[in-house]
Each structure stands twice: as C-alpha cells, then as structure tokens.
Amino acid sequence: MVSETDVIIVGAGASGLSAARELANLGLSYTLVEGSHRIGGRAYSEEIAPGVWFDLGCSYLHQAENNPFVAIADQLDIKIGREFGDMFAREKICFYEKGQALNPAERDAYSSFYDQCYETILNAADKGEDVAVADLIDLENKYAMTFANVMAATYTRDLDQISSVEVASFEDGSDVPIQNGYGNLVATWGADIPVSLNTRVERVIYSSKGVSVETSKGTLHGRSVLLTVSTGILASGEIEFNPVLPDWKADAVLGLPTGTLNKVCIHFDEDVFGPDGRGFHVSCNDDAGAAGFEVSVMGQNTAIVFIGGRYAVWLEKQGQQASQDYALDEIANVFGNDLRKHAAGTIATAWTTDPWTRGSYSCALPGHGRQRSVLARPIEDRLFFAGEATTIGDHACCHGAFNSGIRAAREIRNSLDR
Ligand SMILES: Cc1cc2nc3c(=O)[nH]c(=O)nc-3n(C[C@H](O)[C@H](O)[C@H](O)COP(=O)(O)OP(=O)(O)OC[C@H]3O[C@@H](n4cnc5c(N)ncnc54)[C@H](O)[C@@H]3O)c2cc1C
C-alpha cells in the first residue's frame, strides 16, 4: 500500500470506484481501500445456476435515459434489456388477489388509488411539507397495504418512516435489466482500478495538516479522505472519527438511515412460467409482505421476490429456509403448486445484517428529506463524502453513487487548488 497520497478513498463500491477514476483523470493520487474481499459493494452478482446470475443488490439500470452505466455496458459489450425498460409501467404489471388476476375494474381501482397517493405526496412536498407518507394517504383504502408493500420495497422503510420529500424528489425513468448482472457490470468496469482489498478502516484522524486513516493493514496518510461507506456503517460507529463528526453531519447520517430491501431468488430447473409469465407480478394482500416478484424478463428460469421494510427485517431474522418457503409460497399462489418440484436453487439476501453495509440503502425519514445535500458537504476541506445517500434525484441508486464519486473527486480537486 502507498502510504502518502492526495486522497484516501474508503470503500470500493460504485462511488469509490468512480471517484478513483475521476481523481486519476484530474491528476491526483489516491489510495482506495476496501474492507471486504471484493469490489462493487452493493453491486454484487452471484451465479445461482451455471450461466444464470442473480444480483443480490442493484439489478435495474434505473433512469436509463441518464444512467452512465448504460453507455459503459455498451462499451463493454454487455447485454442489457432496453426493450424491457417499461417493465414497471402499471399496464405491464400483473396484479392478483388470492391468486386470481384482478379484473379491469379492480385494476382501475388500484391504479386510481396509487395515482391519488402519489399526487398527494407530490403536492405536500411542493408545499414544503416534509412529513411521513403514512400521514398523507388513505390507509383505509382496500389497496393501501399493496401500496405500502410496494413503497417498502422501493424505499426500504414503511410508510410512517418515509419522507414525502424523499419520494417527490426521485426522478422518473425507465428500468433496464442486465442479462448477466449489474454487479458483474460494475466489477468488469472497475477491474483495472487499483484497490487494497481486505483493508478495513477503523479510525480517521483529521486536522488542518491532513488526515491519517488507521486500517487493519496499517496507517495511511493523505491530504484528504473520501468516505463512501453507507449511512448504516457511518451510524454504527465502526469507524471512529477524531475529532468526532460535528452535530450537523451526525444528524444527516441519522436522518438518512439504511432500511431493508431483501430479495429471494429461486431458480427452476425448467421453464415453469413460459414466455407469457415473464414480467412483474403483484399480489394485493391485506397484510405486510412482499411487494411482488419478477419472473426473469430476460429468459432465465428464475423468479425474484422483493420484500421491504419491517416485514423484511423480521423475515431475515427467521433465516434462509423461512425466506425461501415464504418466497416459494408467493410464487405458487400465482403460478400453482406444480412448480415447487422444479425449484432447484435459492439465494436469499440478508442486507440488514450485512457487515459492510448494515442495511440495503438509505431512506430519508420524515423531516429529513433535505439532508442528502448536508451529508454530501465536506468537513474542513479534509473529509469528503460520496455514496448513494449523498445524491438527490438519483438517490439510493447505483448510478447515483457513481455520479456522487465524480462530484466528490471534483470537490477535492477544487479544495486542493485553494
Ligand atoms: C437489495 C438491493 C436492491 C437494489 N436495487 C437497485 C437497483 O435495481 N438499481 C439501482 O440503481 N440501485 C439499486 N440498489 C442500490 C445500489 O446497489 C446502491 O445504491 C449502490 O450500489 C451503492 O454504492 P455505494 O458506492 O454508495 O456504496 P457501497 O456499494 O456500499 O460501497 C461502499 C463500500 O465500502 C466498503 N466498506 C464498508 N465499511 C468499510 C470500512 N470500515 N473500511 C473499508 N471499506 C468499507 C463496503 O464493503 C463497500 O464495498 C439496490 C440495493 C440493494 C441492497
């Protein structure tokens, strides 16, 4: 490891990797340290069956129209599913109640409730109201629980813990899947960036003279440090700061906690869904539970169940077998019990307890919808911050993390010029 450098970057996820590239472009030296054994962070693909990849973290190129990873995929000749970019459009989703498809009138009722919820949230945010989504919508509506489950899987928290500003500031766009995984895309793109793996940062000491970063492999010295770890890690106290972070920064960290979105991927040994089954399926339940599941639009014989919020935390605690049983029940409710005998392999994520993230991704709590720019703000031109929690509009996304790395690298360049 180089021990003297312009910038010490902590974390080799999308934001740390993009910062590293940008710093090199700007002519600055850096040392990039990563606590785990691999790069990519929450962009992570695993092979669930030979040639079939499952993304434990990010899987869709959200806001594909403005997503830099689309061009990167093209440059690397990585296959993406542009033609499926509208797979979450309401008319493309299949809705069910007790295993039966909703009829057109029921679909309309759900749609108009959903639109009404969004309109109310946007209006409130427009008026400057940074309040809980739960306080804005009609919780007595027949489809309130379905909406709640979808929001929990989108924002990682339940409606009482999601800020109206958080929802209103997220920008629309299409959602493009990647044949062999977003994690593999990020890992391929970042493969040539020098990283010190298995190097856990334990303490950051900063002053007007520079920074010292104590790691499991020794101490690094630099002019500045760029932190890209999740707010879950920052809040856990696992990285000690000397002096401690100022109150305004600690408030931003606590206002943007990581919540839970877990996925359970089941691979089937034959095509149990058929071409017509591909797409996103939502069961309208009365209880907290899964938001729905994707039957692989790109033709793998997989179904991926999405579960968010408190229910996801609870199910994660029940363990892998319980998660698998729950997911298989959700799928069988729609496609019938025959497919059970073809279930060949399962991966269930457990992001709440992941030691390198302590949660899935950030969600602004009510009253904290404007904290993202505060989290991004540097401290004394020595401590800089990037990562999915520091972006607005593309927040919580992998490409938002990428963009934040570039933003932070440029801030560091400017600060060193000063
Ligand atoms: C289930 C799930 C589904 C998602 N779906 C999507 C999606 O479809 N589309 C999308 O755009 N986004 C999605 N996301 C979000 C996306 O994955 C993240 O926003 C993005 O990958 C975060 O990148 P990052 O660089 O900010 O953080 P990370 O990827 O977390 O990188 C931070 C790095 O810091 C390292 N680290 C932590 N502590 C230390 C330490 N003490 N010392 C050294 N290193 C440390 C970590 O190991 C990690 O590699 C999803 C995330 C999850 C969990």
Side-chain angles (χ1 to χ4, degrees):
M1 258 197 294
V2 179
S3 61
E4 285 284 345
T5 187
D6 287 325
V7 190
I8 298 156
I9 308 173
V10 183
S15 57
L17 293 167
S18 79
R21 274 216 198 290
E22 186 66 6
L23 287 169
N25 290 341
L26 296 169
L28 294 179
S29 62
Y30 66 83
T31 303
L32 171 49
V33 294
E34 165 57 48
S36 76
H37 64 287
R38 60 173 181 84
I39 64 167
R42 283 169 275 176
Y44 178 29
S45 313
E46 275 197 7
E47 205 173 19
I48 187 165
V52 181
W53 292 90
F54 164 58
D55 278 310
L56 282 80
C58 53
S59 56
Y60 303 107
L61 293 154
H62 293 314
Q63 302 168 351
E65 297 75 5
N66 299 309
N67 187 322
F69 280 114
V70 170
I72 291 171
D74 288 344
Q75 279 155 22
L76 295 172
D77 212 12
I78 285 173
K79 187 173 173 200
I80 64 174
R82 276 190 177 77
E83 64 277 33
F84 304 112
D86 61 351
M87 60 181 280
F88 293 111
R90 201 102 40 79
E91 63 279 10
K92 293 269 169 144
I93 297 177
C94 305
F95 292 96
Y96 309 84
E97 191 177 340
K98 298 192 174 78
Q100 297 299 313
L102 294 194
N103 66 37
E106 290 166 332
R107 282 184 71 100
D108 285 352
Y110 174 74
S111 282
S112 74
F113 175 66
Y114 188 96
D115 290 342
Q116 191 192 317
C117 290
Y118 255 83
E119 202 184 317
T120 317
I121 296 166
L122 299 188
N123 284 342
D126 257 5
K127 286 189 267 171
E129 290 172 20
D130 187 356
V131 295
V133 169
D135 292 340
L136 296 171
I137 70 158
D138 172 12
L139 294 171
E140 299 301 319
N141 186 285
K142 176 171 190 241
Y143 295 109
M145 209 61 235
T146 310
F147 181 76
N149 291 337
V150 169
M151 292 297 273
T154 309
Y155 290 95
T156 73
R157 290 194 167 260
D158 293 303
L159 296 182
D160 58 316
Q161 296 188 327
I162 307 172
S163 145
S164 50
V165 172
E166 172 84 341
V167 177
S169 55
F170 191 77
E171 286 161 20
D172 278 343
S174 53
D175 310 289
V176 169
I178 305 170
Q179 177 82 53
N180 287 332
Y182 210 149
N184 283 336
L185 166 58
V186 172
T188 307
W189 159 75
D192 61 341
I193 297 173
V195 183
S196 177
L197 296 174
N198 299 308
T199 309
R200 181 191 199 100
V201 169
E202 290 158 359
R203 184 174 296 121
V204 174
I205 303 165
Y206 60 104
S207 72
S208 56
K209 297 195 184 76
V211 298
S212 298
V213 174
E214 296 177 9
T215 80
S216 51
K217 288 188 178 170
T219 301
L220 299 161
H221 301 284
R223 298 168 78 187
S224 57
V225 61
L226 172 58
L227 290 143
T228 75
V229 298
S230 72
T231 51
I233 295 293
L234 288 174
S236 72
E238 284 165 24
I239 301 178
E240 189 186 322
F241 291 90
N242 187 353
V244 292
L245 295 178
D247 286 350
W248 59 268
K249 181 65 79 177
D251 284 350
V253 170
L254 296 178
L256 296 163
T258 49
T260 299
L261 164 62
N262 274 328
K263 301 195 252 183
V264 185
C265 177
I266 301 184
H267 178 253
F268 296 87
D269 61 12
E270 65 172 48
D271 184 1
V272 289
F273 304 106
D276 292 344
R278 292 177 194 167
F280 204 78
H281 303 266
V282 172
S283 289
C284 301
N285 297 321
D286 295 337
D287 301 323
F293 61 93
E294 183 202 328
V295 171
S296 174
V297 289
M298 296 197 74
Q300 295 97 338
N301 297 328
T302 56
I304 300 166
V305 180
F306 291 73
I307 312 144
R310 293 183 184 97
Y311 189 81
V313 176
W314 176 83
L315 189 59
E316 183 177 325
K317 278 193 191 141
Q318 307 312 301
Q320 292 276 315
Q321 187 62 50
S323 299
Q324 173 179 337
D325 293 347
Y326 174 79
L328 205 47
D329 284 350
E330 284 292 299
I331 301 162
N333 275 343
V334 170
F335 283 96
N337 282 321
D338 274 2
L339 53 64
R340 290 179 188 272
K341 57 180 179 284
H342 294 288
T346 308
I347 298 177
T349 68
W351 285 105
T352 322
T353 48
D354 184 290
W356 299 110
T357 60
R358 304 256 171 239
S360 300
Y361 46 87
S362 62
C363 172
L365 298 177
H368 296 270
R370 296 180 185 81
Q371 291 276 26
R372 293 187 182 278
S373 55
V374 181
L375 186 69
R377 202 181 298 156
I379 299 174
E380 293 177 16
D381 272 357
R382 293 291 172 197
L383 260 56
F384 292 81
F385 294 82
E388 54 85 10
T390 65
T391 66
I392 302 168
D394 51 7
H395 43 274
C397 289
C398 189
H399 66 289
F402 173 103
N403 290 333
S404 75
I406 294 176
R407 184 259 308 144
R410 292 177 186 169
E411 279 172 5
I412 294 171
R413 164 80 272 170
N414 292 340
S415 84
L416 293 178
D417 284 349
R418 281 197 291 277

